[in-house]
Amino acid sequence: MFSISDIDNIIINSLKEDMPAGDITTDNIIDENAMSFAKMIAKDSGVIAGLDVAKRVFELLDQDVKFDKHTEDGQWVSKGDVIATIHGKTRALLKGERTALNILQRLSGIATITRQYADKIKHLKAKVVDTRKTTPGLRMLEKYAVRVGGGTNHRFCLSDGVLIKDNHIKAAGGIKKAIELVRNKIPHTIKIEVETETIDQVLEAIDGKADIIMLDNMGLDMMKEAVKIINGKAIVEASGNVTLDTIVEIAETGVDIISVGSLTHSVRAFDISMKIT
């Protein structure tokens, strides 16, 4: 999944951003030895993701902090539920509050919307996957949240797999030419995906022996025709303007994968508050 050092780097950078020269409010009001107890409370209903990351925020600020989870990542919580309790130095609780909540709220929002998409098509073969439309610096966490919500991950980065998009096709002089160029330079273990917008492009991708064919912004009728033409010769991915209202019809065309950029690029944060008691 990811290492503790990866998480620490994200948290440390976030804390530096939030208090580059300390917290002038907390440091001048709260005694350095003061201790407090706090609750994290769900103000929405949905799927929680990122509790261990939130815990790590406070551990980096107070090595003796006690963070007790009242639920686990992937569990559904209701508005008003206490999702965690924290006991430690008051300064640490106050300094870590916003960073911990920002991460927890965003990841829980992603997990919640992913669960909604996944549940819509759980009776069909298609899988919901994410995209690279993520928050800079938070990709590993956001893709983790997608998995927590019941989705799966597309490639993590540009180094992971070949995806020949419209601009590559134009620059190379065609789909088949682009496939030939890349296939001669990559290991045989790496799959090649091609983005298509027309039936002619689908036929060219098949002729070039693409492993995965993306149907980009196609209408339902064209998508059905493309799936029939591909007929198992490649994995079929649907992409473009997928919503909760359209995903079932898209899945019913017979595609294998449905990529949804909105899982990460425009998700609404899951509302959580932290209250010192």
Side-chain angles (χ1 to χ4, degrees):
M1 190 170 62
F2 38 68
S3 68
I4 191 69
S5 61
D6 292 330
I7 300 303
D8 284 0
N9 287 336
I10 292 172
I11 294 170
I12 289 167
N13 287 333
S14 298
L15 290 171
K16 285 180 179 178
E17 180 182 58
D18 204 30
M19 48 176 182
D23 178 351
I24 61 173
T25 308
T26 296
D27 289 340
N28 288 298
I29 293 175
I30 307 301
D31 184 275
E32 63 180 352
N33 295 314
M35 304 288 287
S36 288
F37 179 86
K39 293 180 179 180
M40 282 188 167
I41 303 167
K43 298 177 74 176
D44 276 333
S45 295
V47 181
I48 290 294
L51 279 171
D52 286 333
V53 183
K55 177 184 178 182
R56 187 63 181 159
V57 172
F58 297 108
E59 289 177 342
L60 290 174
L61 292 166
D62 175 8
Q63 63 181 1
D64 297 319
V65 73
K66 186 176 182 182
F67 187 103
D68 292 320
K69 296 182 289 184
H70 291 218
T71 186
E72 295 291 338
D73 283 4
Q75 296 299 308
W76 186 274
V77 299
S78 299
K79 183 177 181 179
D81 286 352
V82 175
I83 60 176
T85 51
I86 316 157
H87 182 259
K89 292 180 180 178
T90 309
R91 284 189 179 187
L93 268 57
L94 292 170
K95 290 178 179 181
E97 175 184 1
R98 181 43 50 201
T99 294
L101 288 178
N102 281 351
I103 294 172
L104 188 58
Q105 289 181 143
R106 181 157 185 81
L107 299 192
S108 297
I110 291 169
T112 298
I113 191 65
T114 302
R115 179 70 57 82
Q116 292 173 17
Y117 273 95
D119 282 352
K120 282 271 190 177
I121 59 170
K122 62 184 179 182
H123 60 294
L124 298 165
K125 73 170 183 176
K127 295 180 180 179
V128 176
V129 305
D130 53 24
T131 69
R132 286 170 40 249
K133 297 175 182 177
T134 54
T135 307
L138 294 182
R139 181 171 294 170
M140 70 172 63
L141 294 181
E142 294 186 347
K143 282 183 171 284
Y144 163 73
V146 168
R147 296 196 301 274
V148 168
T152 55
N153 297 147
H154 208 292
R155 60 179 178 164
F156 182 81
C157 63
L158 293 172
S159 305
D160 274 357
V162 175
L163 175 46
I164 302 171
K165 297 174 71 67
D166 55 348
N167 286 328
H168 297 110
I169 294 167
K170 290 176 183 176
I175 288 175
K176 193 171 180 180
K177 181 64 174 177
I179 293 174
E180 289 173 355
L181 286 168
V182 74
R183 179 167 280 135
N184 290 332
K185 297 177 182 178
I186 62 171
H188 69 280
T189 55
I190 295 179
K191 291 183 178 181
I192 298 174
E193 179 170 8
V194 178
E195 179 183 276
T196 63
E197 297 176 346
T198 67
I199 295 300
D200 285 343
Q201 287 186 328
V202 169
L203 291 169
E204 190 176 356
I206 293 171
D207 192 36
K209 294 182 171 55
D211 301 295
I212 308 164
I213 298 175
M214 178 192 293
L215 312 180
D216 188 46
N217 286 299
M218 285 189 182
L220 291 173
D221 289 340
M222 186 184 293
M223 210 177 292
K224 290 175 184 176
E225 183 182 355
V227 170
K228 186 176 180 180
I229 290 170
I230 295 167
N231 191 30
K233 298 181 184 73
I235 296 169
V236 186
E237 174 182 345
S239 181
N241 299 313
V242 180
T243 69
L244 286 169
D245 291 331
T246 63
I247 192 168
V248 173
E249 287 183 320
I250 292 171
E252 287 173 344
T253 65
V255 297
D256 303 295
I257 299 167
I258 303 175
S259 54
V260 186
S262 60
L263 298 181
T264 53
H265 73 57
S266 57
V267 67
R268 184 180 71 85
F270 184 97
D271 198 4
I272 299 169
S273 65
M274 190 182 102
K275 298 295 183 183
I276 288 181
T277 60

